[in-house]
Amino acid sequence: MWQKKTLPHTSITHSIPATDVNYNCTPVVPRILHLAWYGSKTRPAFRFHHVISVMSSLRFIQPERIMFWHDEVPIGKWWTFIRQKINKTTTSLVLMQREAPKEIFGRPVTKSEHHSDIVRLEAVMKYGGIYHDLDVIVLRPLGKLYCHNTTMGEESPDYLCNGFFMSVANATFLKLWHDSYHSFDSTQWGYHSVKMPGIIAKRHPGLVHVEKDTIHKPNWEVPERRKLYEDGVFYNWTARNYAVHLWYRFHNVDYNPESIKRLNKTVGQIFRYIFYGLSYML
């Protein structure tokens, strides 16, 4: 037996707005959502946390269209489920088939994560819009972030994570970032995906708006991840987060609509909030 319950530090969770049109500035980033699906041959099925991610964007971004970049289309019941969800909204789903890039500027690209890194950057450069990983959960409208030419979230003081970014098409920051791939080395795991945008931001701070603690906090480091996944620990995501990055490859547990009812941890709160529309259920 379970019932709705609100924890003391989540007093504002039921007042988070569904829309946010009062920017007090001119929005320039189009409501195009880019998602990427690469490296799926070993596990091709869409999963429940992917559903939560897309549902969160349907609710808070309300994109005009979703451009789903992929080498192969996902399979499974949750892929069918989310396509049905999208069909019930005003959002159009566009399947953007693109083979995994084998090289960039003549330099070999061998890892699926790097394939996705390149596809997402080139997609937003060309079309503008918002990109986020399928383990990023959007928690409230992005509001004034639409008014910056480019926005990224800080992962740590020297790193900007490419798991979420938004931009106008052909932004100078994105061009500099893309041009840095002339020195790409696949043995350097996160250099071009997180370190290089951090370097460019420090050199050209006027080209990018940086959100320090509203997108990728808690970060991927163990003490931070515990705030998401440790039983009885509740991170106050309602206070300021535009989104939460789940860093799911470090957790990698399959959930479903029934099992999330009993998750006594932050990720349980977030999943229930998006899937059921309530901030906390026990």
Side-chain angles (χ1 to χ4, degrees):
M1 190 73 179
W2 54 273
Q3 59 186 4
K4 173 184 160 187
K5 177 182 177 182
T6 302
L7 296 182
H9 69 268
T10 60
S11 58
I12 67 168
T13 53
H14 296 292
S15 63
I16 296 176
T19 60
D20 184 1
V21 296
N22 297 316
Y23 304 111
N24 296 320
C25 58
T26 302
V28 293
V29 176
R31 287 182 185 261
I32 301 171
L33 176 62
H34 300 272
L35 302 173
W37 183 258
Y38 286 85
S40 62
K41 291 184 178 180
T42 57
R43 192 162 190 174
F46 219 59
R47 300 169 67 186
F48 183 70
H49 71 278
H50 299 143
V51 165
I52 296 293
S53 178
V54 179
M55 285 182 64
S56 74
S57 285
L58 290 174
R59 179 175 175 182
F60 292 119
I61 295 176
Q62 299 179 0
E64 295 175 1
R65 67 181 183 272
I66 297 173
M67 302 182 76
F68 192 90
W69 299 86
H70 65 283
D71 50 359
E72 296 186 11
V73 177
I75 63 173
K77 67 177 183 179
W78 291 120
W79 177 242
T80 300
F81 177 92
I82 200 60
R83 293 196 67 169
Q84 292 171 345
K85 279 279 186 185
I86 295 169
N87 288 339
K88 293 178 181 179
T89 72
T90 59
T91 297
S92 62
L93 175 64
V94 185
L95 298 179
M96 303 293 292
Q97 199 280 334
R98 177 183 172 182
E99 292 301 315
K102 304 302 182 187
E103 63 175 39
I104 184 167
F105 299 124
R107 307 185 75 86
V109 182
T110 58
K111 295 181 174 63
S112 60
E113 292 84 359
H114 293 154
H115 296 152
S116 176
D117 289 341
I118 293 166
V119 169
R120 71 186 69 175
L121 177 53
E122 293 181 347
V124 179
M125 276 182 60
K126 181 174 182 178
Y127 296 98
I130 303 145
Y131 170 84
H132 68 69
D133 285 347
L134 283 163
D135 65 344
V136 167
I137 314 300
V138 183
L139 298 172
R140 62 184 173 102
L142 303 180
K144 64 182 180 181
L145 299 187
Y146 289 105
C147 303
H148 302 286
N149 278 353
T150 304
T151 295
M152 293 193 74
E154 185 177 283
E155 179 183 307
S156 65
D158 293 321
Y159 300 101
L160 301 184
C161 182
N162 70 346
F164 176 106
F165 63 99
M166 51 196 295
S167 182
V168 298
N170 298 310
T172 301
F173 182 85
L174 298 189
K175 290 180 179 179
L176 291 172
W177 184 8
H178 188 257
D179 191 59
S180 75
Y181 273 84
H182 278 93
S183 63
F184 178 73
D185 180 349
S186 63
T187 66
Q188 296 181 315
W189 173 253
Y191 186 82
H192 281 83
S193 58
V194 293
K195 187 172 183 177
M196 183 53 72
I199 291 172
I200 297 170
K202 289 182 184 299
R203 291 175 179 170
H204 307 281
L207 296 182
V208 59
H209 170 74
V210 176
E211 286 289 312
K212 290 190 173 297
D213 55 11
T214 64
I215 297 171
H216 298 297
K217 299 295 176 67
N219 67 25
W220 64 272
E221 295 177 347
V222 172
E224 291 282 296
R225 291 205 320 270
R226 286 174 178 162
K227 298 175 184 178
L228 295 173
Y229 294 114
E230 187 171 322
D231 284 345
V233 174
F234 299 98
Y235 174 73
N236 190 5
W237 52 272
T238 68
R240 61 193 175 196
N241 281 65
Y242 283 109
V244 165
H245 199 156
L246 298 181
W247 318 103
Y248 216 76
R249 68 183 181 275
F250 297 112
H251 184 62
N252 204 27
V253 175
D254 281 318
Y255 295 111
N256 59 60
E258 285 300 312
S259 66
I260 65 172
K261 294 176 182 178
R262 300 179 294 276
L263 279 183
N264 188 38
K265 57 188 72 176
T266 299
V267 71
Q269 285 186 327
I270 292 171
F271 281 8
R272 291 187 290 267
Y273 179 58
I274 299 301
F275 195 80
Y276 290 112
L278 297 173
S279 63
Y280 190 83
M281 288 190 298
L282 182 64

